[in-house]
Amino acid sequence: MFEIFEKAELAQGTVISNVIKAPSIARKAKPGQFVILRVNETGERIPLTMADTDPETGTITLIYQVVGKSTALMKSLNVGDAFQDICGPLGQPTHIEKIGTVICVGGGTGVAVLHPITKGMKEAGNQVVAIIGARTRDLLILEDKMAQASHELRVCTDDGSYGHHGFVTEVLKEYLDRKEPIAMIVAIGPVPMMKFTCKLTEGYGVKTMVSLNPIMVDGTGMCGCCRVTVDEVTRFACVDGPEFDGHKVNFDELIQRQRAYLEQEKQAMERFQGLRCQCKG
Amino acid sequence: MAEEVKKKEKIPRQKMPEQDPKVRARNFDEVPLGYSPETAQLEASRCLQCKKPTCVDGCPVQIDIPGFIKPIKEGDFSGAIMKLWEKTSLPAVCGRVCPQEAQCEALCILGRKEEPVAVGRLERFAADRQRTMGEFKLPEKAAPTGKKVAVVGSGPSGLTVAGDLILKGHEVTIFEAFHKTGGVLIYGIPEFRLPKAIVQAEVDILEKLGAKIVRNAVIGRTSTIDELFDEGFDAVYIGVGAGLPVFMNVPGENLIGIYSANEYLTRSNLMKAYKFPEYDTPIVLGKNVVVLGAGNVAMDSARTALRLGADSVKIVYRRSRDEMPARGEEIHHAEEEGVEMHLLTNPTRFFGDDQGRVVAMECIKMELGEPDASGRRRPIPIKGSEFTMETDLVVISIGAGANPLITATTPGLQTNRRGYIMADPKTGKTFKKGVWAGGDIVTGSATVILAMGAGRIAANSIHEYLMIGW
Ligand SMILES: Cc1cc2nc3c(=O)[nH]c(=O)nc-3n(C[C@H](O)[C@H](O)[C@H](O)COP(=O)(O)OP(=O)(O)OC[C@H]3O[C@@H](n4cnc5c(N)ncnc54)[C@H](O)[C@@H]3O)c2cc1C
Ligand SMILES: Cc1cc2nc3c(=O)[nH]c(=O)nc-3n(C[C@H](O)[C@H](O)[C@H](O)COP(=O)(O)OP(=O)(O)OC[C@H]3O[C@@H](n4cnc5c(N)ncnc54)[C@H](O)[C@@H]3O)c2cc1C
Ligand code: SF4
Ligand code: SF4
Ligand code: FES
């Protein structure tokens, strides 16, 4: 069993952070890698990226957005409770080396996934600019940590309640227009945000890495559920990724495949909420 | 004496009681119900107890077939199971899923004149009887040797190695990527053919014997093979199966509603999607289902789709009935339940709606030409014979490949052109010192009993290595 050590609610309870005991994973994990967990015996297998790891305390940190039944169930767990299974580390680690100026662009919960990569890029000796965004100020996460992990942090909100009024792509464009050399851009967030970021950077010819989150089952390359089309070729995000060259990714296919179970997800959530109301009386 | 022989010949091969096809096509309960003790004894009395039993040559692990059938005839059911355990640790599994008609039963002497002895059904009977009625005495373990063995993968191959080595006194740890042990027996073969409780019972015995099982451990990621040696293991057995899905590479294959058989069956079996929403994992419920391929995996997928409420399930296969690789019984059961066979047909592309969901498939008719490398006649497309078939769920089960997760992270292991690990068939030794491999990851997709056989050979070789040397 994988016990929860710490729990925090971010973004007004829509995003949860858990520090979980998983020593053998904490020892091995590198930035960019993920785990697959099962909350309980009837649970599905949920992939989540490690936002942080501590080999010394043997813990990993997961930060997740509450979007459906499984994440809602996870939110109901408290310190001292445990997950049934956690499997990992899975996927390829981010390729981190000293290459020059790196811009890390994050949206929504994607910032949690972006944080260890940003930190790693800075520690490797790169000049790191971070641009993070959210719909509104209250939903912004990890601002302090991102400030520490980068040399320069820019914040955007869609509604203008904080920082730049508008999308992360607008701030990114400022940097691209400066015509100073940018070695790489890392963009992680909702798929439409990654898609538009890549559209923008393609015009400037700046290499852009994205982290894809298709639906997964095993995470070992056995089932093909996570297949994505990259450069016209089918790749498995769980073993070949999750990071890919964003200019080659077929985002529209990914968006469609993520919606494969919308109806069942709704049914599961309604049933879950129904059951919860009953037991609360 | 002469009279007795005559009497024996008169007893017909005993039928297996089964759930009615119409009923069972909508439930996940096991299809064959098993022999009663009386039926088993009657069937056992058909065996001629041959001095040179040809049937044994047909069994990849050389089970003493007359040896375990005789006590059944005499009503000594625990005697039968003890005899089976000398050669197999999974008799309840093999009795159910072995392709007996091509192995032991194919060579039974009775088969020349009438129907062969139902060896598989009797094996299943003995094992089920022990599990449900018999009290169980754990086999004796040899004195501890102080040696540690890592077994990677908990399919039939890995379980066999673990069972053999623990009895020989070694410390055994099984590493399994999934949260449940059993390999294909758990995630691939459906409940209605192999109840999961049976596999679990076999694993429980191993744990009682002292085998350590580490679940959620993906070797190649959680630890590499080399790191296992650093962690103190003296030998490693790789039995990770053929866990790579094969797709058709035709346009439209990534539409929603097109699954690999691995994904479809894993969702249904391992994750229990057939019990959604009680279990959280969803699965696409098709009304017009197409299954591509005609092996055991295809039959299992087709029959699963029926049970999940499909109106129509079609097997689409590019060769003819004679080339279908599935066990005879599986094809028979599938057809009884209403699965339709569309032979000499191959898909050329898939069509989707504006949501990206599959709605139809274009196929082309095939004809058989000259035999190919596998000895089977090569299917050739007939020009201009394309037609369209409506479908809302496609399961691709045209084979499996070698998963590169371990081979890509283990220097020194050698693989063949298709990516399978090269191992000496006589010992299971790979090209890397201290590392053995067997089962589907060496041979490509084969059978449960062959994977077990490879495990037994490797276990003997590992034991020799631990006690003597490489
Ligand atoms: C490699 C990877 C890393 C991820 N890292 C994070 C992370 O760090 N933080 C975070 O908040 N989210 C992350 N996700 C997404 C997260 O897995 C989904 O949000 C979660 O599975 C939703 O489950 P649910 O039951 O709460 O929602 P549901 O109602 O079941 O689904 C909501 C949406 O989540 C997606 N989803 C559903 N099931 C799965 C599944 N088995 N695998 C993947 N996606 C699924 C679908 O697009 C679906 O429409 C990651 C996904 C992947 C593939
Ligand atoms: C649907 C289906 C139906 C079948 N029907 C029959 C039948 O009727 N009769 C018959 O004889 N045969 C049948 N077979 C074939 C038979 O199941 C296989 O030949 C047999 O299971 C192979 O055994 P194995 O031990 O080599 O591997 P597997 O059973 O594949 O087990 C391998 C195990 O290793 C684990 N693993 C993989 N990679 C790693 C890793 N990196 N680290 C840790 N663990 C890992 C896997 O999760 C799995 O549990 C069928 C196969 C399928 C898929
Ligand atoms: S293990 Fe399989 S082949 Fe051998 S006797 Fe039993 S059913 Fe026949
Ligand atoms: S060949 Fe047939 S009759 Fe002879 S021992 Fe084997 S099962 Fe019995
Ligand atoms: S999740 Fe199964 S292959 Fe990637």
Side-chain angles (χ1 to χ4, degrees):
Chain A
M1 295 294 260
F2 299 83
E3 195 188 325
I4 300 176
F5 270 11
E6 287 172 34
K7 173 182 175 180
E9 298 198 356
L10 319 174
Q12 300 199 312
T14 61
V15 175
I16 308 296
S17 161
N18 280 160
V19 178
I20 302 158
K21 188 163 175 156
S24 59
I25 302 174
R27 221 178 309 137
K28 290 283 160 56
K30 298 199 179 72
Q33 288 189 301
F34 64 97
V35 295
I36 289 191
L37 63 80
R38 242 175 23 129
V39 183
N40 56 24
E41 195 46 45
T42 53
E44 59 182 333
R45 292 174 64 94
I46 295 291
L48 292 172
T49 308
M50 285 171 274
D52 202 0
T53 54
D54 186 341
E56 251 147 58
T57 56
T59 56
I60 62 173
T61 305
L62 302 178
I63 299 183
Y64 58 89
Q65 186 167 11
V66 180
V67 290
K69 149 92 201 255
S70 297
T71 43
L73 181 63
M74 285 163 65
K75 183 182 172 179
S76 72
L77 298 183
N78 291 310
V79 172
D81 292 341
F83 292 97
Q84 178 101 10
D85 299 291
I86 301 186
C87 172
L90 299 168
Q92 303 286 346
T94 309
H95 191 72
I96 292 181
E97 60 177 342
K98 185 166 177 196
I99 44 174
T101 299
V102 176
I103 304 186
C104 296
V105 188
T109 329
V111 176
V113 178
L114 189 66
H115 174 249
I117 298 170
T118 312
K119 203 167 117 190
M121 287 292 183
K122 188 179 173 191
E123 281 164 6
N126 295 297
Q127 178 65 29
V128 180
V129 179
I131 306 172
I132 61 173
R135 262 187 295 132
T136 180
R137 179 173 193 160
D138 291 337
L139 297 180
L140 193 72
I141 61 167
L142 303 183
E143 186 187 353
D144 294 350
K145 285 197 159 181
M146 284 303 283
Q148 266 174 29
S150 59
H151 295 98
E152 195 184 333
L153 175 72
R154 297 286 302 273
V155 178
C156 322
T157 49
D158 297 0
D159 66 355
S161 50
Y162 186 49
H164 172 83
H165 183 168
F167 297 131
V168 284
T169 39
E170 295 162 11
V171 179
L172 177 61
K173 191 167 183 303
E174 274 178 34
Y175 285 86
L176 289 164
D177 284 335
R178 285 185 198 166
K179 299 265 174 335
E180 287 160 13
I182 300 170
M184 187 160 84
I185 291 165
V186 183
I188 303 177
V191 180
M193 172 235 144
M194 294 194 280
K195 178 181 161 180
F196 288 115
T197 304
C198 290
K199 264 208 176 135
L200 172 71
T201 60
E202 200 166 12
Y204 293 83
V206 182
K207 185 174 173 184
T208 306
M209 295 301 287
V210 293
S211 180
L212 304 185
N213 53 351
I215 296 177
M216 294 187 174
V217 182
D218 61 301
T220 65
M222 187 277 279
C223 76
C225 173
C226 62
R227 55 198 197 273
V228 287
T229 304
V230 182
D231 213 7
E232 309 291 318
V233 178
T234 296
R235 307 289 299 274
F236 293 170
C238 70
V239 282
D240 301 329
E243 287 169 27
F244 292 100
D245 180 342
H247 294 152
K248 298 185 173 153
V249 171
N250 182 338
F251 286 107
D252 295 333
E253 180 185 272
L254 175 64
I255 291 172
Q256 281 191 332
R257 286 185 63 82
Q258 283 183 330
R259 299 167 58 90
Y261 301 102
L262 278 188
E263 242 171 75
Q264 284 107 317
E265 284 157 5
K266 202 168 140 239
Q267 187 190 349
M269 191 61 183
E270 279 165 5
R271 186 171 179 271
F272 179 67
Q273 285 166 336
L275 288 178
R276 278 231 295 198
C277 294
Q278 269 169 23
C279 63
K280 277 184 185 153
Chain B
M1 183 69 199
E3 227 189 81
E4 208 193 310
V5 171
K6 225 171 155 190
K7 213 173 74 201
K8 269 178 196 162
E9 281 174 0
K10 266 199 210 133
I11 302 169
R13 179 171 158 116
Q14 295 300 298
K15 286 218 166 60
M16 179 61 115
E18 287 174 350
Q19 272 199 73
D20 180 79
K22 285 215 181 62
V23 177
R24 72 182 194 231
R26 298 294 176 200
N27 71 42
F28 276 85
D29 300 336
E30 195 176 12
V31 170
L33 303 169
Y35 278 165
S36 67
E38 296 72 33
T39 318
Q41 282 180 284
L42 210 56
E43 181 62 30
S45 72
R46 294 181 66 228
C47 171
L48 303 174
Q49 293 293 318
C50 305
K51 286 261 151 26
K52 283 194 185 138
T54 45
C55 53
V56 177
D57 298 334
C59 172
V61 295
Q62 313 270 287
I63 288 182
D64 178 357
I65 295 170
F68 92 82
I69 291 185
K70 188 156 177 271
I72 295 185
K73 181 182 155 192
E74 292 162 356
D76 171 16
F77 302 138
S78 53
I81 193 70
M82 296 316 279
K83 211 54 211 166
L84 281 164
W85 273 338
E86 285 174 13
K87 298 281 179 171
T88 169
S89 47
L90 303 171
V93 174
C94 297
R96 285 173 165 83
V97 305
C98 259
Q100 292 101 5
E101 78 263 26
Q103 298 182 356
C104 50
E105 295 180 16
L107 297 184
C108 168
I109 196 94
L110 278 190
R112 293 192 194 163
K113 287 210 187 113
E114 46 172 317
E115 284 192 277
V117 173
V119 179
R121 292 171 186 175
L122 289 173
E123 186 171 332
R124 164 185 168 158
F125 168 80
D128 286 1
R129 176 89 189 171
Q130 176 278 321
R131 199 180 55 254
T132 50
M133 313 280 286
E135 49 188 78
F136 178 61
K137 218 176 97 228
L138 283 181
E140 296 279 320
K141 276 205 299 187
T145 61
K147 303 284 184 187
K148 288 175 70 181
V149 182
V151 173
V152 185
S154 66
S157 193
L159 292 178
T160 304
V161 173
D164 283 10
L165 290 178
I166 198 123
L167 290 181
K168 288 178 171 22
H170 308 297
E171 241 180 78
V172 177
T173 307
I174 301 177
F175 294 93
E176 168 56 48
F178 268 132
H179 54 268
K180 277 212 169 66
T181 43
V184 167
L185 308 181
I186 286 286
Y187 77 71
I189 304 181
E191 178 78 15
F192 56 83
R193 208 147 71 75
L194 179 63
K196 300 307 150 223
I198 290 173
V199 184
Q200 193 55 50
E202 305 287 357
V203 176
D204 288 347
I205 293 176
L206 269 184
E207 276 193 289
K208 276 195 202 125
L209 281 169
K212 236 176 90 187
I213 301 182
V214 185
R215 296 168 180 87
N216 300 307
V218 182
I219 302 305
R221 291 270 195 267
T222 315
S223 298
T224 61
I225 299 282
D226 286 324
E227 283 165 348
L228 289 177
F229 285 110
D230 298 342
E231 289 164 24
F233 288 100
D234 301 297
V236 177
Y237 180 77
I238 305 175
V240 292
L244 188 77
V246 173
F247 288 95
M248 313 237 10
N249 279 321
V250 301
E253 205 163 26
N254 292 347
L255 290 164
I256 299 165
I258 303 183
Y259 285 116
S260 75
N262 283 357
E263 180 182 353
Y264 188 63
L265 292 171
T266 301
R267 281 182 182 274
S268 180
N269 297 325
L270 178 75
M271 304 310 297
K272 304 234 183 303
Y274 70 89
K275 292 190 181 164
F276 181 87
E278 188 195 329
Y279 280 72
D280 291 337
T281 303
I283 194 163
V284 171
L285 301 173
K287 285 291 160 202
N288 273 311
V289 181
V290 167
V291 176
L292 303 172
N296 286 326
V297 185
M299 298 305 143
D300 284 344
S301 304
R303 298 172 71 197
T304 297
L306 268 184
R307 284 159 174 77
L308 285 169
D311 293 334
S312 127
V313 179
K314 301 184 183 73
I315 291 269
V316 170
Y317 181 49
R318 64 197 179 119
R319 300 180 197 251
S320 74
R321 186 171 284 264
D322 289 344
E323 288 85 18
M324 288 170 72
R327 291 175 67 208
E329 183 179 308
E330 305 315 326
I331 299 173
H332 169 71
H333 277 151
E335 289 196 300
E336 257 188 357
E337 288 166 12
V339 174
E340 304 159 35
M341 304 290 163
H342 291 246
L343 307 173
L344 291 167
T345 306
N346 210 25
T348 45
R349 62 163 134 174
F350 301 101
F351 303 105
D353 64 10
D354 57 358
Q355 305 284 311
R357 284 174 194 271
V358 67
V359 291
M361 171 174 98
E362 184 191 76
C363 298
I364 189 161
K365 293 261 190 213
M366 312 290 278
E367 60 189 351
L368 292 180
E370 295 299 307
D372 62 13
S374 71
R376 297 181 300 179
R377 294 176 62 193
R378 187 193 305 272
I380 308 166
I382 304 174
K383 270 217 182 80
S385 67
E386 287 88 349
F387 66 100
T388 309
M389 208 183 253
E390 261 181 50
T391 178
D392 53 355
L393 171 59
V394 178
V395 182
I396 303 175
S397 40
I398 55 166
N403 190 311
L405 206 53
I406 287 195
T407 44
T409 51
T410 313
L413 273 185
Q414 297 212 20
T415 52
N416 67 16
R417 251 184 315 130
R418 295 165 62 215
Y420 292 101
I421 298 177
M422 286 166 64
D424 181 345
K426 286 202 237 28
T427 58
K429 281 181 181 172
T430 66
F431 281 84
K432 190 177 171 77
K433 190 170 174 220
V435 180
W436 282 255
D440 284 4
I441 187 58
V442 170
T443 56
S445 306
T447 60
V448 172
I449 190 71
L450 284 172
M452 289 177 58
R456 162 100 358 113
I457 290 170
N460 289 334
S461 171
I462 293 171
H463 179 63
E464 202 179 281
Y465 166 70
L466 294 175
M467 307 315 282
I468 304 165
W470 181 251

